Amino acid sequence: MTTVQQPVQPQPKAEARETHFSSKRVLLTIAVILVVLFSLAPILWQLLTSFKTNQAISAVPNVYFPRPDQLTWQHYVELFQRRPFLNYMFNSAFVAVTSTLLCLAIGTPAAYALARLRLKGERIILGLILIVTLFPYILLFLGLLEIVRAAGLANNYLALIIPYTAINIPLTVLVMRSFFLQLPRDLEDSAKVDGYNTWQMLTQILLPMTVPALVTTGILAFIFAWNEYIFALTFITRETMKTIPVAVAQLGGATLFEIPYGPIAAATVVGTLPLVLLVLFFQRRIVQGLTSGAVKG
Amino acid sequence: MAKLELQNLNKTYSPKVIPVKDVSLTVDNGEFLTLLGPSGCGKSTTLRLIAGLEQPTRGKVFIGDRDVTNLPPGKRDISMVFQSYALYPHMTVYDNIASGLKLQHMSSNEIRERIRESSGALGLEELMGRKPGQLSGGQRQRVALARALVRRPEVFLLDEPLSNLDALLREQVRAELKQLFEAQNTPVVYVTHDQTEAMTLSTKVAVLNRGDVQQLDPPQRIYTHPANMFVAGFIGSPQMNLLHLKSDGKNAVLGDYRIPLPGGFTSPPDVTLGIRPEHVRLAQPGDAHSFQGRVFLVENLGMSNLLSVQLPGSENRTIRSLLPADRPWSQEDVTLALPPDAIHWFNTETGERLSNNTRPLVSNTANSTPLADSNPRL
Ligand SMILES: Nc1ncnc2c1ncn2[C@@H]1O[C@H](COP(=O)(O)OP(=O)(O)OP(=O)(O)O)[C@@H](O)[C@H]1O
Ligand SMILES: [Mg+2]
């Protein structure tokens, strides 16, 4: 507005425009706050509940802003002292990490092959993979149960690791394939001319550029495995091998009719925290445009 | 250092897609061969066959005495500059340039020495620590060049390395390229669809069309002796005038005029007269062939004016003439002369060149100097 010299600049009009502009901003801010509140409210409520004393939790009317004497660490202490919660966390972490790594290790080469090789029936393969991702995984449950029984895998981490890996592979393949497709092919050709053999090319040229996509798909696979409930509930019955979702669901009160809101909330918070930390930690790695500069765009 | 030889190369993707039909070439030490042709004519495919990035369906590639047809690209001792530069985005400029040498297990001292040598000429010292993302297009292009040069390969391959640069920079880098590669006593194969690059850089040009070599000659000869109508129309800007004419055996018929055909061959019934706009000049008294025509379009190209002239006669024929800017002409009607020795004759049906006139290149200045030696046959 100021760089272009205009002979007559009607002042009121400019002002009107500015107020219009700022009212737009205000609306936008309000909308953002509402959306954030809407999505964060349940989590914030859980967080609050996990720190409130039992009395404060059951108080009517609801305690939104607890006094200091209504706050307590007790629920957390209880989680780790009265129950093997560290153990549950280890189980979850082990199963989730292993299945995620396996999933990436199997899915990424497959995706690369699908992106780069001219395979016969490539469309059919992709179509099948897509159909698998659309298939509700719960429906696999009964069949898997039979298999687990027949293979004698009950109460074995493998009973969870294998299905989690399998369920996540189609998504991994699809996401990684579209990533490979947009990587310039010249880079690989250039590496070949430079004398990299296939393995060196994959590990030294391709892999460093693939990290953001690997992290993104890895996080998705990890979250699924971390949160999965049905398989974990049925295939694992031994107490020391249970994962967090199952353990949280089985937190019981002293009596049948008492629901231990506090410990459940605390367990939820503890169970969610690793995911939040994971995303925050890798957020920096998910840098857009890591490939910029490879080719003139 | 060794010469590069292609023997009957063919690449067939499917019965309908045959980007390289039958290409045989040799490029000697110190020769700069340009593959020139329109988009999709198989230039890049030919280059990739030489590099080993594609396997030929038939034919062989030799570097020196080695048959490299079945060797992987890394074992052929070639380096290649890609149109997109293809720098490794996660490595610094230094590592990019060094990557090929490191794979040859060269000592880091020697690598440093070599890089200093080749990057000094390209002005890259300041940029060694940067990542490709932090470079301008021209700088990336230089890094790509340095990466190729530093390897000191037996053959250099370049695929349209200048096409991503803006016009001004392109001209500058073109000149640098010429000097750089003149200093290397190595075969260079350069792909471009820009004829100026082909003309200025190469010692030999192969004009490709639809997977076949149309002509393989030094740039000068490609310009003065196009082997067929495709080359004639493709090389030269503005494009050569091509007039399809009937022939009565001895003369080509243009309206009321008869233009004698040179002897030495039996004339087909349909011939094509080709003459470059820069050779069509305003007639002077005593000119053998002059035509009255009406100017209907003038394009000012700065250095010269491009006149589009309608020739008399029932057919709607036009001919374009390039006149120096300081050369006046009567606004409407002009009389144009077609210097007989600047005329190229082609068989319309086959497109092949008919005559064999061996005449030195006539430049723009010829327009203002009367031709001393007219072709005696005419
Ligand atoms: N992998 C492939 N599979 C099938 N056809 C291909 C393949 N690669 C190239 N072609 C075809 O071969 C022909 C020649 O391609 P090429 O890349 O050699 O053209 P070019 O001369 O380099 O053109 P440009 O100037 O546009 O780069 C094109 O018609 C192209 O579609
Ligand atoms: Mg090309």
Side-chain angles (χ1 to χ4, degrees):
Chain A
M1 213 188 276
T2 48
T3 51
V4 180
Q5 283 219 341
Q6 289 199 339
V8 188
Q9 182 63 270
Q11 208 57 30
K13 208 178 171 187
E15 255 172 32
R17 206 183 199 178
E18 225 153 71
T19 51
H20 178 69
F21 200 65
S22 61
S23 70
K24 221 173 165 182
R25 286 208 88 124
V26 169
L27 277 179
L28 185 72
T29 317
I30 292 175
V32 168
I33 292 174
L34 282 180
V35 169
V36 168
L37 266 184
F38 180 75
S39 28
L40 280 187
I43 297 167
L44 290 177
W45 187 242
Q46 287 287 48
L47 192 66
L48 188 64
T49 307
S50 73
F51 285 113
K52 289 199 288 193
T53 59
N54 279 332
Q55 269 162 336
I57 289 173
S58 51
V60 180
N62 278 335
V63 180
Y64 289 102
F65 300 101
R67 297 185 310 270
D69 66 307
Q70 286 176 317
L71 289 175
T72 174
W73 289 102
Q74 194 50 46
H75 304 310
Y76 288 93
V77 173
E78 194 175 323
L79 272 189
F80 290 97
Q81 279 185 350
R82 297 209 1 226
R83 295 166 209 278
F85 209 79
L86 267 181
N87 200 343
Y88 301 146
M89 287 183 80
F90 169 80
N91 293 339
S92 273
F94 179 74
V95 170
V97 167
T98 315
S99 68
T100 302
L101 291 182
L102 267 180
C103 178
L104 292 179
I106 299 171
T108 309
Y112 184 69
L114 280 171
R116 283 297 189 248
L117 301 182
R118 271 162 224 276
L119 298 173
K120 278 201 187 119
E122 188 181 316
R123 294 181 142 256
I124 297 174
I125 298 175
L126 285 174
L128 287 177
I129 292 177
L130 193 66
I131 287 175
V132 174
T133 59
L134 298 178
F135 198 78
Y137 87 96
I138 301 279
L139 297 185
L140 300 171
F141 168 64
L142 278 181
L144 275 178
L145 187 60
E146 290 299 318
I147 296 176
V148 166
R149 238 194 236 145
L153 283 178
N155 283 328
N156 187 328
Y157 288 129
L158 280 181
L160 297 183
I161 290 173
I162 293 174
Y164 291 173
T165 307
I167 287 169
N168 277 318
I169 278 182
L171 185 72
T172 310
V173 170
L174 290 180
V175 173
M176 291 308 293
R177 177 177 170 270
S178 61
F179 177 81
F180 284 130
L181 280 182
Q182 55 96 43
L183 267 190
R185 209 184 175 141
D186 277 357
L187 277 174
E188 288 153 54
D189 289 340
S190 177
K192 282 185 211 158
V193 172
D194 265 353
Y196 288 89
N197 62 35
T198 307
W199 177 247
Q200 286 169 323
M201 184 185 83
L202 289 178
T203 53
Q204 292 175 33
I205 304 292
L206 224 49
L207 201 63
M209 291 191 291
T210 320
V211 168
L214 285 177
V215 167
T216 315
T217 40
I219 284 180
L220 290 180
F222 185 88
I223 289 176
F224 171 85
W226 184 266
N227 288 338
E228 206 283 331
Y229 177 66
I230 299 284
F231 293 177
L233 177 69
T234 20
F235 300 161
I236 306 287
T237 47
R238 193 181 299 155
E239 188 62 27
T240 53
M241 292 184 71
K242 281 181 177 163
T243 59
I244 293 181
V246 178
V248 172
Q250 292 179 347
L251 284 178
T255 70
L256 201 58
F257 303 104
E258 183 196 329
I259 300 174
Y261 286 112
I264 289 181
T268 313
V269 170
V270 172
T272 317
L273 212 56
L275 292 185
V276 175
L277 291 180
L278 189 77
V279 172
L280 284 183
F281 177 75
F282 280 116
Q283 200 178 27
R284 296 208 201 145
R285 293 287 181 98
I286 316 174
V287 192
Q288 284 296 308
L290 193 81
T291 54
S292 77
V295 299
K296 165 108 185 188
Chain B
M1 308 294 122
K3 74 171 186 188
L4 168 75
E5 186 174 356
L6 313 185
Q7 287 179 357
N8 304 95
L9 270 194
N10 172 288
K11 179 69 187 178
T12 306
Y13 282 115
S14 68
K16 280 206 172 146
V17 187
I18 312 179
V20 179
K21 292 209 180 94
D22 183 19
V23 172
S24 302
L25 296 167
T26 47
V27 193
D28 280 321
N29 274 333
E31 265 194 328
F32 194 115
L33 172 79
T34 299
L35 302 178
L36 179 64
S39 193
C41 71
K43 307 180 295 285
S44 299
T45 309
T46 310
L47 204 68
R48 293 170 61 82
L49 288 173
I50 301 174
L53 294 168
E54 307 277 354
Q55 271 298 306
T57 313
R58 280 194 301 280
K60 285 195 156 72
V61 180
F62 287 91
I63 296 176
D65 300 327
R66 295 185 295 150
D67 179 353
V68 297
T69 316
N70 294 316
L71 286 185
K75 296 242 154 66
R76 295 190 176 196
D77 199 8
I78 46 168
S79 51
M80 184 157 172
V81 178
F82 292 83
Q83 178 175 2
S84 60
Y85 311 150
L87 303 178
Y88 310 128
H90 56 288
M91 293 185 190
T92 61
V93 167
Y94 185 91
D95 288 336
N96 260 288
I97 300 178
S99 60
L101 300 180
K102 279 184 191 156
L103 290 172
Q104 296 170 7
H105 304 291
M106 194 177 279
S107 77
S108 58
N109 271 338
E110 202 178 340
I111 292 181
R112 206 170 307 126
E113 190 51 40
R114 277 229 201 163
I115 291 185
R116 195 148 46 97
E117 219 171 280
S118 63
S119 60
L122 291 162
L124 292 174
E125 293 97 337
E126 317 272 295
L127 310 173
M128 283 301 166
R130 295 209 207 159
K131 297 264 174 78
Q134 305 160 319
L135 301 178
S136 74
Q139 289 167 333
R140 283 178 208 170
Q141 206 268 350
R142 278 154 201 271
V143 176
L145 266 180
R147 187 171 65 176
L149 286 171
V150 82
R151 298 249 320 271
R152 295 187 193 154
E154 295 207 8
V155 177
F156 283 106
L157 306 175
L158 300 96
D159 192 353
E160 310 207 23
L162 303 186
S163 61
N164 279 334
L165 302 179
D166 63 60
L168 213 63
L169 192 58
R170 195 180 308 170
E171 216 162 279
Q172 183 194 336
V173 179
R174 200 174 67 208
E176 287 173 7
L177 270 185
K178 189 170 169 108
Q179 290 179 321
L180 266 179
F181 284 107
E182 263 168 10
Q184 317 278 331
N185 188 27
T186 311
V188 181
V189 183
Y190 185 98
V191 163
T192 183
H193 56 245
D194 180 316
Q195 43 172 307
T196 322
E197 281 169 32
M199 288 293 168
T200 51
L201 288 171
S202 10
T203 57
K204 230 165 42 172
V205 177
V207 183
L208 296 185
N209 191 30
R210 296 163 188 246
D212 272 323
V213 178
Q214 305 288 318
Q215 186 169 4
L216 175 64
D217 266 322
Q220 193 74 326
R221 194 166 169 83
I222 299 247
Y223 178 81
T224 54
H225 288 79
N228 55 37
M229 264 159 65
F230 173 80
V231 178
F234 189 74
I235 304 289
S237 170
Q239 210 186 12
M240 184 188 277
N241 294 295
L242 290 170
L243 301 175
H244 303 309
L245 304 174
K246 287 269 176 242
S247 144
D248 63 6
K250 287 226 157 83
N251 302 291
V253 184
L254 171 60
D256 299 335
Y257 298 96
R258 286 181 192 281
I259 308 170
L261 293 168
F265 53 85
T266 46
S267 163
D270 294 299
V271 294
T272 296
L273 179 156
I275 185 162
R276 299 197 183 278
E278 55 265 41
H279 296 155
V280 180
R281 53 187 176 80
L282 293 180
Q284 285 156 346
D287 268 332
H289 296 302
S290 46
F291 299 86
Q292 285 273 328
R294 203 170 52 76
V295 180
F296 68 93
L297 180 66
V298 178
E299 288 158 273
N300 186 343
L301 305 180
M303 203 169 66
S304 44
N305 286 309
L306 183 62
L307 273 55
S308 298
V309 178
Q310 187 149 23
L311 293 180
S314 48
E315 307 100 331
N316 241 348
R317 294 189 190 284
T318 61
I319 197 163
R320 299 196 299 168
S321 166
L322 195 67
L323 299 180
D326 54 1
R327 177 94 185 180
W329 71 91
S330 59
Q331 283 306 319
E332 281 279 297
D333 292 314
V334 289
T335 311
L336 296 176
L338 311 183
D341 42 5
I343 295 177
H344 308 266
W345 293 104
F346 301 101
N347 182 334
T348 307
E349 207 175 321
T350 63
E352 291 307 311
R353 181 183 189 84
L354 287 176
S355 61
N356 240 342
N357 66 9
T358 48
R359 169 182 183 275
L361 178 81
V362 179
S363 69
N364 255 331
T365 51
N367 285 322
S368 43
T369 53
L371 282 177
D373 52 341
S374 268
N375 195 324
R377 269 201 302 262
L378 296 166

